[in-house]
Amino acid sequence: MIRRKRPLRMGVCLLVLAVASLLVGLLSGFEAGGRSYENYGFLHVLGIGVVLLVGSALVGYGISSKSPMGKLGRSVYRVYLRSKRR
């Protein structure tokens, strides 16, 4: 039996993972005694930004599909469902 994930739950999980990644990186940098924000590379920050954008779009779609973020979340969720069919 395959359970389908709901967009709100997926979005909240993505947001929690992105924020946790940022916090762990910042805390490990503070423990080392340096400027922790300098430890992040451009691609890491870009990746976390994309995860935050997709997570907030999915949360927006889970709450209301009429908003612009909801429309973006709907397209992300449809791509997810299309990838599961194959």
Side-chain angles (χ1 to χ4, degrees):
M1 180 173 110
I2 297 175
R3 289 184 58 193
R4 295 211 183 257
K5 295 186 172 100
R6 303 283 182 235
L8 182 65
R9 189 179 337 160
M10 287 172 52
V12 168
C13 289
L14 282 175
L15 289 175
V16 167
L17 286 174
V19 170
S21 174
L22 279 173
L23 287 178
V24 165
L26 287 174
L27 289 177
S28 66
F30 284 139
E31 289 176 359
R35 295 181 183 171
S36 60
Y37 59 87
E38 291 178 351
N39 295 335
Y40 287 116
F42 174 71
L43 290 177
H44 188 264
V45 171
L46 185 67
I48 287 182
V50 168
V51 169
L52 284 172
L53 178 72
V54 169
S56 60
L58 286 171
V59 168
Y61 176 56
I63 293 172
S64 170
S65 62
K66 304 273 187 220
S67 67
M69 287 299 280
K71 291 176 184 177
L72 177 65
R74 181 176 55 212
S75 65
V76 168
Y77 190 64
R78 284 183 179 173
V79 168
Y80 166 75
L81 289 179
R82 195 175 304 138
S83 72
K84 285 297 190 183
R85 264 190 261 156
R86 293 180 185 175

